[in-house]
Amino acid sequence: MEKDLIIGAFTNYTDYDVLKPWVQSIKDTGFDGDIVLIAIEAPDNLVKTLEKEGVKVVRGYNTQKMMVHMLRFLSIYDYLKNNKNKYRNVVSTDVRDVIFQTNPFDFLKTKFYNLGLIASSEAIKIKDEQWNKQNIIKNFSEYFYNDVANNEVLNVGIIAGTAELVKDLCFALFQMSSNRPDWVADQAAYNMLLSFEPWKTKCSLGFECTCN
């Protein structure tokens, strides 16, 4: 039977206390699907602690010497590809600065079946937020920035959707954020992708307004 999945990735952490708020907050919501962490070059003692806490740990290695911001999308893509038909819906988040106050699937389950992807808005337009504006210009040029300047900033640190769409989005994000001028290009790639078809019509914002 298909399950729901919450998945994240990390590297260079040695202390469980950094990950504990993420793990424990998920458990406290009563979520009964799989909790998976991609552990990129993690020490054995941390992996054992995570497994003791009920987390499925997938070992990863940074052979490409990429930033984890981008490498995580390849790891999540691989995990979903290797576990095809195991999961219904997926929530992927950052792990250091995200906690769960309720089971996310209770809120999202009615939305997944309408469009397929849910994006988290930062409630400000790209043109009005200097870091996102400059990041997009640097990685994708001012020519393409002008096409998305009036869109709301979407937060790549929280992605949700059906398993198949999240898998394919992670493939696209990895490709779009690799070998860019800025060492952090995942947010820019995410905002560019979801501004254009076919992704635009597959997505709605978490606050019930449509991506545009």
Side-chain angles (χ1 to χ4, degrees):
M1 185 175 70
E2 290 182 324
K3 297 186 284 186
D4 293 327
L5 168 68
I6 298 176
I7 188 168
F10 70 91
T11 189
N12 294 327
Y13 293 165
T14 59
D15 189 346
Y16 175 64
D17 285 346
V18 179
L19 299 166
K20 183 177 179 180
W22 189 83
V23 173
Q24 191 61 49
S25 67
I26 295 172
K27 294 166 64 175
D28 288 346
T29 69
F31 173 69
D32 61 357
D34 283 354
I35 305 171
V36 173
L37 277 172
I38 310 295
I40 300 172
E41 298 173 348
D44 291 341
N45 63 317
L46 178 55
V47 171
K48 289 178 182 177
T49 300
L50 287 166
E51 291 175 338
K52 184 178 178 181
E53 292 296 325
V55 177
K56 181 175 181 178
V57 179
V58 179
R59 291 276 198 170
Y61 299 92
N62 192 0
T63 56
Q64 294 127 315
K65 303 303 179 185
M66 294 182 65
M67 296 300 298
V68 69
H69 309 86
M70 280 71 81
L71 185 60
R72 60 177 165 170
F73 296 116
L74 177 60
S75 299
I76 294 168
Y77 169 81
D78 282 340
Y79 182 80
L80 292 174
K81 180 179 70 173
N82 293 331
N83 289 274
K84 187 175 176 62
N85 300 323
K86 184 175 181 179
Y87 298 108
R88 288 183 301 256
N89 302 315
V90 178
V91 169
S92 170
T93 78
D94 293 341
V95 297
R96 188 179 63 179
D97 56 359
V98 171
I99 61 169
F100 293 80
Q101 295 178 299
T102 187
N103 184 337
F105 296 96
D106 290 342
F107 169 70
L108 297 171
K109 63 185 177 182
T110 60
K111 297 176 179 293
F112 285 126
Y113 302 104
N114 295 330
L115 295 170
L117 288 170
I118 308 296
S120 172
S121 169
E122 296 188 4
I124 189 171
K125 290 186 177 182
I126 292 170
K127 67 180 183 181
D128 296 326
E129 206 293 302
Q130 284 300 306
W131 186 88
N132 281 279
K133 174 182 176 179
Q134 295 305 320
N135 190 243
I136 288 173
I137 291 173
K138 184 173 183 178
N139 287 298
F140 294 98
S141 81
E142 190 156 5
Y143 179 83
F144 290 109
Y145 158 75
N146 290 328
D147 290 335
V148 303
N150 286 305
N151 293 356
E152 291 183 27
V153 175
L154 304 180
N155 185 352
V156 74
I158 302 174
I159 297 173
T162 60
E164 189 69 13
L165 278 175
V166 171
K167 174 180 71 67
D168 290 351
L169 178 60
C170 285
F171 160 77
L173 281 169
F174 177 73
Q175 296 294 335
M176 283 278 284
S177 60
S178 298
N179 300 313
R180 293 287 171 182
D182 198 303
W183 64 280
V184 178
D186 55 323
Q187 175 102 337
Y190 185 60
N191 279 271
M192 294 303 295
L193 279 169
L194 293 189
S195 295
F196 295 93
E197 300 295 353
W199 298 105
K200 183 168 69 170
T201 54
K202 296 289 186 182
C203 171
S204 66
L205 295 186
F207 295 108
E208 301 190 2
C209 35
T210 303
C211 280
N212 52 46

